[in-house]
Amino acid sequence: AQRVTQPEKLLSVFKGAPVELKCNYSYSGSPELFWYVQYSRQRLQLLLRHISRESIKGFTADLNKGETSFHLKKPFAQEEDSAMYYCALSNTGGFKTIFGAGTRLFVKA
Amino acid sequence: SAVISQKPSRDICQRGTSLTIQCQVDSQVTMMFWYRQQPGQSLTLIATANQGSEATYESGFVIDKFPISRPNLTFSTLTVSNMSPEDSSIYLCSCMSTANTEAFFGQGTRLTVV
């Protein structure tokens, strides 16, 4: 069965500290993995995807097929990073997207 | 990219009534989806809205409760029928870019059933 697991509901860090949001998945094929973000009073939007291998707003995520993980990392958290983060998986062909439960990141001044 | 307009943004409804949520995309898209996000929980896919045919429902969701229309490639509606307080949730419309499988979302409809 397809599943995305985000073990932390809330993650609180100080500004300037490193942050890692965990994501594990289960999927029988070759999925596409994404991180979506929802800032306060804004709609859900794509942050990054594993295929592009890019850094967005200082965030990176590496797909580890052996550990079936796609953790989101940033070396120095900023207050504006405070938001809800969802790890997501799209099935082969991209016909639908499955979301994890989400992790609320709170960056303290 | 795609911009989705979803309305209403919120509503308070009496139990036993029905509410229809509209979703308009600014470009033609192949895939449109409807999600539910209950308080403190993740997004749960209700169904895929197919143009020209019946929607494809996920386990736990049925057409009688959540009828969906998709008359063309830019528009879809979701009706929440015979509402009960348990239907209180945020309902989200989404579409997918076939070019790169990125999903775009509407602002959501916050439904409260009293």
Side-chain angles (χ1 to χ4, degrees):
Chain A
Q2 303 170 30
R3 185 177 297 138
V4 179
T5 303
Q6 293 179 253
E8 304 137 329
K9 279 200 166 183
L10 173 67
L11 188 60
S12 182
V13 300
F14 282 103
K15 176 182 173 182
V19 62
E20 181 179 47
L21 286 76
K22 291 184 167 44
C23 172
N24 288 89
Y25 68 92
S26 63
Y27 185 72
S28 57
S30 296
E32 287 195 56
L33 274 297
F34 307 82
W35 277 97
Y36 285 84
V37 60
Q38 189 168 25
Y39 300 103
S40 179
R41 299 184 184 277
Q42 295 187 28
R43 67 184 66 197
L44 195 60
Q45 60 187 286
L46 179 68
L47 179 63
L48 55 78
R49 49 190 295 161
H50 89 270
I51 286 180
S52 56
R53 296 181 180 273
E54 57 191 345
S55 173
I56 304 292
K57 299 184 179 182
F59 284 98
T60 59
D62 291 319
L63 178 62
N64 186 321
K65 292 186 178 181
E67 296 182 358
T68 59
S69 68
F70 189 57
H71 304 325
L72 183 68
K73 301 177 184 179
K74 185 169 182 176
F76 308 104
Q78 303 299 314
E79 288 181 76
E80 55 266 30
D81 296 328
S82 295
M84 194 74 178
Y85 291 80
Y86 294 95
C87 183
L89 173 156
S90 179
N91 61 349
T92 304
F95 293 121
K96 62 182 180 182
T97 304
I98 307 296
F99 289 84
T103 298
R104 181 167 296 282
L105 175 64
F106 181 55
V107 182
K108 299 175 284 189
Chain B
S1 66
V3 178
I4 299 178
S5 300
Q6 185 176 338
K7 59 180 182 182
S9 59
R10 60 177 63 229
D11 207 342
I12 301 174
C13 301
Q14 295 288 328
R15 67 177 67 199
T17 63
S18 298
L19 175 72
T20 295
I21 303 168
Q22 297 182 5
C23 177
Q24 179 75 53
V25 188
D26 69 344
S27 58
Q28 293 188 341
V29 292
T30 305
M31 313 297 293
M32 292 184 74
F33 307 91
W34 288 97
Y35 287 87
R36 182 173 70 184
Q37 186 176 25
Q38 293 182 303
Q41 298 188 27
S42 184
L43 287 76
T44 301
L45 182 63
I46 297 172
T48 302
N50 304 308
Q51 196 268 330
S53 63
E54 267 192 10
T56 305
Y57 289 84
E58 298 298 307
S59 175
F61 298 96
V62 294
I63 187 171
D64 290 345
K65 177 67 175 177
F66 297 102
I68 287 171
S69 78
R70 178 90 192 272
N72 55 52
L73 292 176
T74 65
F75 187 78
S76 179
T77 67
L78 168 75
T79 299
V80 186
S81 303
N82 188 25
M83 288 182 286
S84 66
E86 291 72 36
D87 294 321
S88 297
S89 186
I90 295 173
Y91 292 85
L92 287 161
C93 172
S94 172
C95 69
M96 184 167 282
S97 161
T98 52
N100 61 13
T101 66
E102 176 181 353
F104 300 92
F105 292 88
Q107 284 280 38
T109 297
R110 183 179 293 273
L111 170 63
T112 302
V113 183
V114 298

